[in-house]
Amino acid sequence: MIPTSQLPQLPAHFAALIEPIDAFLQCPTPEAWLAEAAKPSNLQTLLVDHCNCELKAAQTGLLMMRRYGLSLDAIELIKDWTKPFEDYVYFLAGDGKFPDKKAAFSVELAAKDETPLARDIIRKMLALVKEELMHFEQVLDVMRRQKVDYVRLSASRYAGGMIKKVRTYEPAALMDKLIIGALIEARSCERFARLAPRLDPAIGQFYLRLLKSEARHYQDYLSLAQQVAEQDVKLAAGFDQRVQELAEVEASLIASEDTEFRFHSGVPATAH
């Protein structure tokens, strides 16, 4: 559990918002990572990687919709939703201004079947994708105001380290992916909260504004994972244990040493 007292100067209503996340995560972000993240010399890496994480989160939400929620016709409707953002990140193409997404997101998206799970995956992941792409643009705006250039960055080992643990058969694979999604969103929320008081006030306030949506994303992922488990006797019986197992993997990635600083990296190697 992460003591709320470890969040210096965090307003009380924000501290209360992350109390469930405190209990969910198996370790706090190490102080050495927070000190590294607060260094002005790491501001570019922090913001660029945060920007990349928002895109990855949107991509993950779309992948969940395509794989587990949408009909074939609906999959065709969403295929280009993230392309302008991907072109910017992967090819440095464009000026960082993106088309209005309201028209695209207003289309009717049919489910692959009429099960509550398929409909709920579409509903919750659609909301997540919209917010993550909005956050992507907001981070870019913060970068412009801070005069921080966008550069290419390699990904951290964090998400991949958990994905390796996903079981290879369904519906266990879906449940694992959803639990991992909850862990990633929870860790992001925890880091926003703990970083906010340590950064330039303009960035800190922006990070605090993200807490509500990140906490909701964590809850949505976890509730979908529970919904999957409820449909299978064996998964339901082992649900809490599986959450614990994957949370321990997540904690080991956060608490172990990383040679490169990233938004989700572990203890900086220079700290030893």
Side-chain angles (χ1 to χ4, degrees):
M1 181 179 290
I2 305 164
T4 303
S5 61
Q6 290 186 12
L7 304 177
Q9 303 173 13
L10 189 66
H13 60 290
F14 287 122
L17 182 66
I18 66 167
E19 283 179 4
I21 289 170
D22 293 351
F24 182 57
L25 297 172
Q26 296 299 301
C27 77
T29 290
E31 183 64 30
W33 184 90
L34 291 166
E36 192 74 11
K39 292 179 180 178
S41 59
N42 278 325
L43 181 62
Q44 182 180 50
T45 299
L46 178 70
L47 292 176
V48 170
D49 200 49
H50 175 187
C51 201
N52 291 348
C53 289
E54 299 291 356
L55 175 59
K56 290 171 189 171
Q59 291 170 321
T60 298
L62 289 176
L63 183 62
M64 298 297 293
M65 290 168 64
R66 289 196 299 266
R67 177 68 178 83
Y68 299 104
L70 294 174
S71 68
L72 292 177
D73 288 342
I75 290 173
E76 189 67 18
L77 292 174
I78 71 168
K79 67 178 183 179
D80 293 327
W81 276 7
T82 54
K83 188 176 185 306
F85 303 88
E86 291 164 348
D87 288 345
Y88 185 82
V89 169
Y90 303 138
F91 306 110
L92 301 182
D95 57 3
K97 297 181 180 179
F98 304 96
D100 179 51
K101 295 175 286 298
K102 289 182 181 178
F105 285 156
S106 65
V107 297
E108 189 75 21
L109 295 175
K112 64 190 298 184
D113 55 51
E114 291 306 312
T115 62
L117 178 60
R119 293 196 299 271
D120 287 346
I121 286 174
I122 294 171
R123 177 173 57 85
K124 291 181 178 181
M125 292 297 101
L126 180 60
L128 179 144
V129 170
K130 290 178 181 179
E131 287 188 322
E132 302 292 19
L133 292 180
M134 179 179 68
H135 295 165
F136 179 98
E137 295 187 68
Q138 289 173 340
V139 179
L140 278 184
D141 187 55
V142 170
M143 290 170 61
R144 292 187 191 102
R145 286 187 272 113
Q146 295 286 326
K147 301 188 184 331
V148 171
D149 293 329
Y150 189 91
V151 294
R152 287 195 183 96
L153 280 181
S154 60
S156 71
R157 65 194 171 100
Y158 176 73
M162 286 185 283
I163 291 297
K164 290 177 183 177
K165 303 298 182 180
V166 172
R167 288 170 286 186
T168 58
Y169 54 92
E170 299 291 1
L174 171 57
M175 190 182 83
D176 286 355
K177 292 173 189 175
L178 291 166
I179 294 170
I180 289 169
L183 287 163
I184 293 172
E185 295 292 341
R187 181 61 66 185
S188 297
C189 190
E190 184 252 358
R191 289 202 159 175
F192 289 144
R194 298 196 67 197
L195 263 179
R198 303 164 186 258
L199 298 175
D200 177 281
I203 304 174
Q205 287 301 311
F206 169 60
Y207 275 10
L208 290 179
R209 290 196 299 272
L210 295 179
L211 290 184
K212 187 175 181 180
S213 59
E214 297 298 323
R216 185 174 61 257
H217 297 165
Y218 139 74
Q219 292 167 343
D220 284 346
Y221 268 118
L222 194 59
S223 67
L224 285 171
Q226 290 170 327
Q227 197 170 338
V228 173
E230 288 166 1
Q231 298 179 4
D232 184 287
V233 174
K234 289 184 178 179
L235 290 183
F239 182 76
D240 290 342
Q241 180 180 347
R242 189 57 179 161
V243 170
Q244 177 72 19
E245 289 169 352
L246 291 172
E248 288 173 358
V249 172
E250 193 273 347
S252 71
L253 291 164
I254 289 299
S256 57
E257 187 176 278
D258 260 319
T259 56
E260 290 186 316
F261 169 75
R262 295 291 185 269
F263 188 82
H264 286 116
S265 57
V267 177
T270 55
H272 297 283

